Amino acid sequence: MPLSTSNFKMSSSKRSGREAAATAAARLPRQDWARIWLLVVLLVLVIAFAWEGFWRARGFVPNLSDDLGIWAMVRRRVSQQGDGVVLVGASRIQLGINPQAFAEVSGQRPLMLAIDGSSPLPVLEELAADQRFCGLVLVSLTPMHLAQPLGRDRAVKWVRRYPRQQWSQRLETRLSMAVQGRLVLRSTSLAPEQLWQHWREGSRPTMFYAPMQPDRSRAADFSRVDLERMRRSRAEREAELHGRVASLSGLAFEERIAHLRSLAETIRERGGRVVFVRFPSDGAVLALEQRDWPRARYWDPFAARVGTLAIHFQDDPRLSHFTTPDGSHLRGEDAVRFSRILAGILEEEHILRDRE
């Protein structure tokens, strides 16, 4: 009996506690959580739009971040189109060709497959192996990429990985492009870690001078940068790269020419063409290129034996007068004129007309 009495008292105590809690909760004012969440969302949107407007007022514009997903999307379009014009190379052709200006003369809007800082060879090899492709390839070939051994750069990785992309990755790329293409806040230069770094250094973030467009082309606006500082930085970077690169020996270079000739012939057998273009450089960058990879030793033998058209900017007065503010890349407005002239040269050489 004592045990039963004890249990009864404990049960009564628990019920009393629950009743007290319920009474206390009933006294609290009822919260309208839907309204609270709506106010929170509105507050976040107001802050975001204000932050967006703040940076737009300082000259920032939406900028796409180049990655495998965007490149792969263009690469698939190349195969689907089959006989289009394709641009291959690194940053010189990405900043040096304006697709719209090129199309105004040629009637064909080129697709950009250039990969910044990478050799054009892996992409050209992959296009030659694609039986669906029978178009025109414009290959920007720098002295370094012509004379250096092929390394494990981004082009090698992207060419290998893009066929394995899943539908979810493709969807993610399209959604990311939709957001990045509309919001300045998605710019990498305004990422929280970048803003924090600028705050610590007492500096201000600057807009990237050559934002990427949805077609992967870039128009350079050098007024956005400290040009003297950029020239020095570019020259130092080029000198460092030249110091790390071992040029191909005589026999290896002959094999490189034969390989490029074979790739061009493979595409030509399917009805396509390959044209190599040496884009402009000047100043300290051109001096380094001439010192380490003299034209007479590399470009001239290559152009004579590659078996297809090879255009050097110094050989045509219409191209040789272009200057590069940083020593390596054309201004956006100059890229428009350069693109029209280059398309006109291809017309004169019957490169475009032969494929119509």
Side-chain angles (χ1 to χ4, degrees):
M1 288 297 294
L3 183 60
S4 299
T5 303
S6 176
N7 289 339
F8 176 77
K9 291 180 178 179
M10 291 177 62
S11 298
S12 299
S13 176
K14 290 179 179 179
R15 283 197 301 271
S16 300
R18 286 195 296 269
E19 291 171 357
T23 302
R27 294 195 190 102
L28 293 175
R30 297 186 63 182
Q31 303 294 333
D32 188 346
W33 290 108
R35 180 176 297 178
I36 292 174
W37 279 111
L38 178 60
L39 290 174
V40 170
V41 170
L42 289 175
L43 180 61
V44 170
L45 288 175
V46 168
I47 294 174
F49 278 112
W51 197 237
E52 177 82 7
F54 175 83
W55 291 113
R56 282 180 180 268
R58 281 152 181 78
F60 281 73
V61 296
N63 176 34
L64 295 178
S65 298
D66 198 9
D67 59 17
L68 170 60
I70 300 176
W71 183 88
M73 188 169 65
V74 178
R75 176 62 188 87
R76 286 188 291 271
R77 196 179 307 151
V78 168
S79 292
Q80 292 165 2
Q81 188 171 319
D83 63 348
V85 180
V86 181
L87 308 176
V88 174
S91 58
R92 286 188 186 177
I93 194 169
Q94 200 172 16
L95 277 67
I97 292 293
N98 180 290
Q100 179 59 39
F102 187 93
E104 289 171 1
V105 176
S106 69
Q108 303 175 71
R109 189 180 182 92
L111 298 175
M112 182 68 72
L113 286 183
I115 301 175
D116 186 17
S118 298
S119 168
L121 268 65
V123 180
L124 181 59
E125 290 170 346
E126 204 267 338
L127 287 171
D130 185 353
Q131 296 297 319
R132 296 169 294 178
F133 178 72
C134 56
L136 169 63
V137 189
L138 296 183
V139 183
S140 170
L141 202 57
T142 66
M144 181 174 68
H145 290 145
L146 175 61
Q148 73 172 6
L150 185 60
R152 304 290 292 179
D153 58 15
R154 279 200 299 172
V156 175
K157 298 176 183 177
W158 286 12
V159 164
R160 184 179 69 249
R161 293 176 182 174
Y162 97 87
R164 301 199 297 263
Q165 277 203 313
Q166 303 297 319
W167 68 268
S168 57
Q169 294 172 309
R170 300 182 188 186
L171 177 61
E172 181 182 358
T173 294
R174 291 188 176 277
L175 292 175
S176 178
M177 288 181 65
V179 175
Q180 288 185 8
R182 291 170 173 80
L183 294 179
V184 167
L185 295 180
R186 291 290 296 159
S187 173
T188 54
S189 59
L190 297 179
E193 60 273 16
Q194 293 293 329
L195 293 175
W196 171 249
Q197 183 68 25
H198 282 293
W199 183 81
R200 292 180 59 185
E201 296 174 354
S203 60
R204 292 183 179 182
T206 56
M207 178 62 193
F208 184 51
Y209 75 100
M212 193 178 77
Q213 305 303 313
D215 62 5
R216 297 193 68 253
S217 66
R218 298 178 184 270
D221 180 1
F222 290 98
S223 67
R224 295 179 177 273
V225 299
D226 182 339
L227 198 51
E228 287 300 323
R229 180 179 179 183
M230 174 175 275
R231 285 197 191 102
R232 290 195 301 270
S233 176
R234 177 72 62 184
E236 291 169 0
R237 179 173 177 270
E238 289 290 330
E240 181 183 353
L241 287 174
H242 288 217
R244 295 203 309 258
V245 173
S247 299
L248 294 172
S249 64
L251 178 59
F253 183 63
E254 292 297 326
E255 293 174 348
R256 168 65 55 80
I257 296 175
H259 180 53
L260 290 171
R261 181 187 181 104
S262 174
L263 296 176
E265 289 176 349
T266 298
I267 293 175
R268 186 163 191 166
E269 288 171 358
R270 295 199 298 263
R273 292 292 299 271
V274 175
V275 174
F276 295 96
V277 182
R278 168 66 162 91
F279 275 71
S281 60
D282 58 28
V285 173
L286 179 59
L288 285 169
E289 292 172 337
Q290 292 175 333
R291 182 196 71 185
D292 295 335
W293 301 295
R295 174 176 175 172
R297 181 179 174 184
Y298 289 102
W299 179 270
D300 289 346
F302 158 77
R305 297 199 288 274
V306 74
T308 190
L309 181 63
I311 301 171
H312 196 296
F313 76 96
Q314 291 178 329
D315 293 338
D316 193 312
R318 293 170 293 180
L319 301 178
S320 61
H321 72 278
F322 283 95
T323 60
T324 54
D326 66 342
S328 191
H329 302 99
L330 295 172
R331 297 178 180 87
E333 57 269 27
D334 285 343
V336 171
R337 295 190 295 116
F338 187 93
S339 301
R340 290 173 178 153
I341 294 171
L342 181 60
I345 293 173
L346 296 176
E347 290 269 355
E348 293 171 4
E349 296 289 338
H350 307 292
I351 300 296
L352 296 170
R353 193 175 300 119
D354 285 351
R355 298 178 51 256
E356 293 177 352

